[in-house]
């Protein structure tokens, strides 16, 4: 019962912050005001100001986080509804995801190597484009710290969704399937949540890309580890 | 009624989620239980064992508020603030630029293949 005394305010507070940041984003739809950005900032600042530790907040926060499991399962619905589209575009989806996964590993590994960064730190950066649990496992299997890997997953997720609109325009990625594949390959489930807001097709392409890239990267990185590290 | 229906729908999604987690633990794989659960549900749709309408209300609720579900996780960077000093900062910049490179490569490749396909047909 003492636990619920902490958990309930944390849950209600998080939902309230989320709704507030949604209202703000509807009024001012700038990428850096996306609910995931302002919501995270408000929670982090509030906890810091009130002197509440992250583990204490998570006594309530874990109940919200736990719903991510069934939410990922729920992605089967858009996938199934768009099955004809996916069948038709199987080659672009596979091609885009594979190219993206390879580019992500190379463009994470070499700059870090040239900057003289230790291998155990590099191992935590490489799986940044896949969903948190996969990234943590892949990082651990190649000698990187799981918690550090989770931080870079957030950098890829938030950095990706904040930049996506301007970046797609700038480099001429216009097709909705290509946008979805790019978001899912680069920014995993956070990118997929954004793609779903843009439309069912873009969201579907993104969920497929996210799934394929999780499978691909969890096979690729441990196999390449012998060469890289 | 709608509220009860949503809870039942989310309950069914949880069944698939836990089945996925169980498969992950049994096979001892890095592919997360949630993704295995999603593939399992997709398989049930294809086999016509489950109709999308059976879970649609709950699924739509979760999918339309997915950013909320991430907030506790993303707030977790707070626990690692010290990492963003020195080498951590360099790595965060590399991670960000590399993310854009992934978007560019995946997006361009996909778009090129989509257009090729559309001009064929």
């Amino acid at each position: 019962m003492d636990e619920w005394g902490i958990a309930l305010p944390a849950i209600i507070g998080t939902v309230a912050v989320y709704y507030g940041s949604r209202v703000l984003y509807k009024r001012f739809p700038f990428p850096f005001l996306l609910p995931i950005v302002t919501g995270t900032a408000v929670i982090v600042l509030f906890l810091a100001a009130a002197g509440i530790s992250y583990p204490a907040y998570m006594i309530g926060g874990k109940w919200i986080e736990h719903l991510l499991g069934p939410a990922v399962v729920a992605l089967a619905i858009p996938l199934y509804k768009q099955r004809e589209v996916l069948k038709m575009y199987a080659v672009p989806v596979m091609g885009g995801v594979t190219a993206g996964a390879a580019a992500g590993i190379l463009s994470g590994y070499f700059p870090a190597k040239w900057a003289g960064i230790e291998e155990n730190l590099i191992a935590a950066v490489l799986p940044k484009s896949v969903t948190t649990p996969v990234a943590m496992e892949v990082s651990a299997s190649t000698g990187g710290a799981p918690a550090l890997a989770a931080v870079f997953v957030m950098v890829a997720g938030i950095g990706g969704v904040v930049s996506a609109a301007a970046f797609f325009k700038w480099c001429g990625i216009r097709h909705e399937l290509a946008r979805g594949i790019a978001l899912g390959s680069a920014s995993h489930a956070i990118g997929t949540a954004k793609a779903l807001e843009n439309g069912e097709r873009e969201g579907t392409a993104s969920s497929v890309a996210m799934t394929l890239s999780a499978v691909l990267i969890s096979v690729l990185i441990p196999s390449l580890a012998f060469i890289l590290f | 009624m709608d509220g009860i229906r949503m809870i039942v729908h989310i309950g069914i999604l949880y069944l698939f989620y836990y089945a996925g987690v169980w498969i992950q633990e049994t096979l001892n794989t890095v592919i997360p239980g949630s993704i295995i659960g999603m593939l399992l549900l997709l398989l049930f749709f294809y086999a016509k064992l489950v109709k999308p309408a059976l879970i649609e209300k709950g699924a739509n609720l979760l999918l339309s508020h997915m950013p909320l579900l991430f907030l506790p996780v993303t707030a977790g960077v707070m626990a690692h603030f010290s990492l963003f000093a020195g080498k951590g900062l360099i790595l965060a910049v590399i991670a960000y630029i590399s993310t854009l490179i992934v978007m560019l490569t995946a997006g361009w490749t996909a778009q090129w293949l989509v257009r090729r396909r559309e001009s064929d047909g």
Side-chain angles (χ1 to χ4, degrees), chain A residues 117-193:
Chain A
I117 286 165
E118 294 94 327
E119 288 182 340
N120 63 328
L121 292 176
I122 300 179
V125 180
L126 292 190
K128 67 190 179 314
S129 288
V130 297
T131 180
T132 314
V134 185
M136 290 170 85
E137 299 259 7
V138 170
S139 172
S141 75
T142 54
L148 189 59
V151 172
F152 295 124
V153 171
M154 293 309 135
V155 171
I158 297 185
V161 293
V162 168
S163 320
F167 189 70
F168 285 157
K169 206 169 175 184
W170 181 70
C171 53
I173 297 172
R174 282 182 213 94
H175 200 283
E176 53 184 352
L177 290 174
R179 285 166 178 251
I181 292 164
L183 270 171
S185 301
S187 304
H188 45 86
I190 296 181
T192 300

Side-chain angles (χ1 to χ4, degrees), chain A residues 40 54 81 89 107 163 171 174, chain B residues 56 72 74 96 98 111 118:
Chain A
T40 306
Y54 182 66
K81 280 191 172 166
Y89 292 99
S107 66
S163 320
C171 53
R174 282 182 213 94
Chain B
E56 203 153 20
T74 52
Y96 174 66
S98 171
Q111 184 160 280
E118 284 175 349

Side-chain angles (χ1 to χ4, degrees), chain A residues 202-228:
Chain A
E202 188 172 324
T204 306
S206 185
S207 18
V208 176
M210 167 188 108
T211 310
L212 275 181
S213 118
V215 174
L216 208 59
I217 282 181
S218 59
V219 175
L220 265 182
I221 292 183
S223 339
L224 286 173
F226 298 101
I227 311 165
L228 299 179

